[in-house]
């Protein structure tokens, strides 16, 4: 693993810890209390267990933005 990859992993882990799993989903929206499903402000990090759509889908643009920040 390169130094850049290690930095990206650390940056990503910190971002998740600070903003939650919903912050890296394609279907996210930002509200007053942080990130949640777009159109579902009461639905936070339950998309894998509640059986409703949309389900979590990772947004590649989040990592791209973290790489550009180097």
């Amino acid at each position: 693993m390169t130094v850049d990859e290690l930095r990206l992993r650390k940056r990503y882990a910190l971002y998740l810890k600070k903003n939650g799993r919903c912050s890296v989903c394609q279907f996210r929206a930002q509200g007053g209390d942080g990130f949640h499903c777009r159109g579902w402000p009461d639905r936070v990090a339950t998309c894998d267990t509640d059986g409703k759509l949309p389900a979590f889908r990772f947004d590649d643009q989040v990592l791209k933005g973290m790489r550009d920040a180097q």
Side-chain angles (χ1 to χ4, degrees), residues 11-64:
R11 189 176 289 143
Y12 178 73
L14 183 62
Y15 186 83
L16 274 182
K17 185 176 181 179
K18 181 180 177 185
N19 297 303
R21 189 167 152 238
C22 293
S23 68
V24 295
C25 181
Q26 287 181 353
F27 305 112
R28 71 185 175 274
Q30 189 167 14
D33 295 334
F35 291 95
H36 58 79
C37 283
R38 187 180 312 140
W40 298 70
D42 296 332
R43 186 177 181 214
V44 178
T46 59
C47 58
D48 288 345
T49 58
D50 65 6
K52 298 175 185 173
L53 292 176
F56 180 84
R57 188 176 301 158
F58 183 75
D59 185 359
D60 295 337
Q61 296 302 314
V62 174
L63 278 183
K64 186 176 188 285

